[in-house]
Amino acid sequence: MTSFKPVLFSAIQPSGNITIGNYIGTMRHWSKMQNDYNCFYCIADLHALTTYNKHSCLKKSILDTISFYLACGVDPNKSIIFIQSHVYQHSQLNWILNCFSQFSELLRMNQFKMKRQIKNRYEKTNVGLFNYPILMASDILLYQTNFVPVGRDQKQHIELTRNIAYRFNSLYGDIFTLPEPLINECGSKIMSLLEPNKKMSKSDINKNNVIFLLDDISSVILKIKQSMTDSEQPCRIYYDIERKPGISNLLEILSAITNKNIDILLKELQGIMYREFKDIVADSLSKFLYKMQKSYINYRCDESYLKKVVYEGAIKARLKSEKTLQNVCSKLGLVSLFK
Ligand code: AQP
């Protein structure tokens, strides 16, 4: 007899090289979650179209992302790994949910406000960027998801997803499961290295702000050494996001990759100077990335295996999502081709 497992959905958009922020905020939890949840791990390529302008690199980014999913321990025999655009149900439900979402609630989305500002400087904002949270709601709701591990930046999108699901359910009965975000206290928002009041992001123009999982070790060491701290005298290492955003950010990174909580780290780090602290962070990160990159390369050079994984994943994801979509269509009075 198979026991009931809650459904977990998580995704990363292949909008560039994956960052240590993406890893700490979500991916690092994925492999241990496989035993307790029915996991759907999606490569959100349609989302990437909203901001990505290097379309010639998109295919590479998608294959890189699948390889990192595998490198961080996701097992395709336990979890479903798939590419969003292979499962057309996402786009179909997206359109339907557009018709159950309000313009005003999308205008309130902080990520849209922030990304639109960046875009205004370089190009015009596209409608996809505005619509992004509804596509995200569709991704989640199609699988009757119970939990969504996300970084803090995505909390508002999960709240919107719940609101849309609740609105739909109030009209048509219990069609969608209302998902809960899973947000860790530590590492849920890793900040930029040089501007620690701003989130670390793949698309940051200043690459010294970001540790990418594919960075070579010498540049990781340099980026950490150059990272912004503060001028408090005497310099002391403690956790205080307001007063010491740079040091607190490095502490969160160190805590996440060493699996030690911050209180324990602080005891170990008592009395050391910032320079020594940065050496410790750089050393731990280098060891972590070296292992991760070694495993990544093994997967990345076998494209036919990567394609097999996402092919099989798409078949399973279509099966599950089609059930929800059929249910939704029938409630709406759309005529089925088959029945
Ligand atoms: N800095 C971060 N700290 C913690 N978690 C983070 N996440 C992103 N940045 C951080 C989490 O990673 C997951 C995947 O994110 P995404 O690729 O779907 O979109 P995003 O949040 O827009 O990521 P980026 O890196 O900022 O990409 P760009 O620059 O393309 O917009 C999400 O769960 C997110 O919370």
Side-chain angles (χ1 to χ4, degrees):
M1 206 174 81
T2 50
S3 59
F4 169 79
K5 286 181 181 175
V7 175
L8 185 136
F9 179 93
S10 199
I12 298 215
Q13 39 171 342
S15 49
N17 288 325
I18 297 182
T19 73
I20 195 76
N22 299 133
Y23 174 80
I24 293 175
T26 44
M27 296 167 81
R28 80 180 149 126
H29 308 292
W30 287 357
S31 84
K32 56 179 186 283
M33 286 170 154
Q34 298 179 108
N35 298 324
D36 302 323
Y37 299 90
N38 273 326
C39 298
F40 290 81
Y41 294 125
C42 169
I43 291 102
D45 55 347
L46 297 176
H47 283 286
L49 299 179
T50 63
T51 52
Y52 207 43
N53 51 16
K54 288 186 259 160
H55 292 123
S56 55
C57 306
L58 188 55
K59 185 174 172 197
K60 177 187 173 301
S61 283
I62 292 170
L63 294 172
D64 287 354
T65 307
I66 308 168
S67 309
F68 270 122
Y69 281 22
L70 296 166
C72 74
V74 176
D75 177 351
N77 295 314
K78 291 183 182 168
S79 302
I80 296 173
I81 303 176
F82 68 100
I83 298 178
Q84 188 183 28
S85 64
H86 289 174
V87 184
Y88 78 90
Q89 286 81 353
H90 290 245
S91 312
Q92 180 107 349
L93 185 63
N94 178 212
W95 178 258
I96 293 172
L97 295 185
N98 280 342
C99 305
F100 290 85
S101 309
Q102 291 154 7
F103 194 78
S104 57
E105 58 191 351
L106 287 189
L107 274 178
R108 286 197 292 272
M109 294 297 114
N110 295 329
Q111 268 222 350
F112 172 70
K113 288 190 217 166
M114 208 185 67
K115 288 190 175 173
R116 189 187 56 168
Q117 268 174 15
I118 299 169
K119 289 248 135 195
N120 276 349
R121 260 188 272 150
Y122 303 105
E123 58 196 268
K124 294 202 173 78
T125 307
N126 65 67
V127 177
L129 190 63
F130 185 64
N131 188 266
Y132 174 112
I134 306 180
L135 180 57
M136 182 169 163
S138 312
D139 300 340
I140 296 166
L141 296 176
L142 273 174
Y143 300 97
Q144 304 298 345
T145 301
N146 301 96
F147 298 105
V148 191
V150 282
R152 225 183 313 149
D153 59 321
Q154 297 286 352
K155 185 166 179 258
Q156 197 186 24
H157 291 166
I158 309 295
E159 280 160 10
L160 176 75
T161 302
R162 287 175 62 88
N163 290 343
I164 297 171
Y166 181 80
R167 193 173 299 143
F168 197 93
N169 287 355
S170 310
L171 293 168
Y172 298 107
D174 276 345
I175 306 297
F176 296 124
T177 302
L178 265 55
E180 302 278 347
L182 288 181
I183 301 176
N184 266 49
E185 217 175 286
C186 174
S188 62
K189 193 169 182 182
I190 298 299
M191 309 307 270
S192 297
L193 297 177
L194 296 173
E195 299 163 82
N197 293 311
K198 175 179 118 176
K199 190 188 83 146
M200 184 184 284
S201 270
K202 290 180 213 91
S203 53
D204 199 315
I205 298 165
N206 185 349
K207 301 304 171 206
N208 290 326
N209 265 331
V210 185
I211 301 285
F212 296 101
L213 297 191
L214 279 177
D215 271 346
D216 61 76
I217 302 304
S218 55
S219 73
V220 171
I221 294 169
L222 198 67
K223 285 179 187 184
I224 294 294
K225 281 192 172 160
Q226 289 170 347
S227 65
M228 174 73 91
T229 51
D230 54 73
S231 51
E232 189 182 40
Q233 285 299 336
C235 64
R236 280 183 310 132
I237 293 174
Y238 61 96
Y239 187 85
D240 184 330
I241 287 187
E242 300 297 321
R243 293 176 59 196
K244 300 177 84 71
I247 291 290
S248 303
N249 192 38
L250 293 180
L251 275 169
E252 291 208 31
I253 293 174
L254 187 61
S255 163
I257 56 168
T258 56
N259 272 322
K260 286 185 183 173
N261 83 36
I262 289 185
D263 289 339
I264 293 179
L265 283 177
L266 287 175
K267 280 191 192 134
E268 292 175 3
L269 297 168
Q270 252 175 19
I272 67 168
M273 308 299 277
Y274 286 177
R275 209 185 61 198
E276 219 179 317
F277 172 51
K278 284 182 172 179
D279 286 345
I280 292 170
V281 176
D283 186 53
S284 297
L285 255 180
S286 306
K287 286 184 181 135
F288 164 79
L289 288 176
Y290 176 76
K291 257 175 80 182
M292 172 68 86
Q293 289 173 6
K294 226 172 126 184
S295 169
Y296 158 87
I297 287 163
N298 274 335
Y299 290 113
R300 187 61 181 87
C301 51
D302 191 352
E303 271 195 29
S304 59
Y305 176 67
L306 299 179
K307 286 185 178 157
K308 177 174 172 282
V309 166
V310 291
Y311 176 81
E312 288 171 1
I315 297 203
K316 292 178 197 156
R318 282 184 184 185
L319 212 64
K320 172 92 181 175
S321 57
E322 182 61 15
K323 258 193 196 162
T324 306
L325 186 62
Q326 285 299 326
N327 202 7
V328 168
C329 291
S330 125
K331 292 286 174 189
L332 292 173
L334 298 172
V335 174
S336 163
L337 182 63
F338 303 108
K339 279 195 262 175

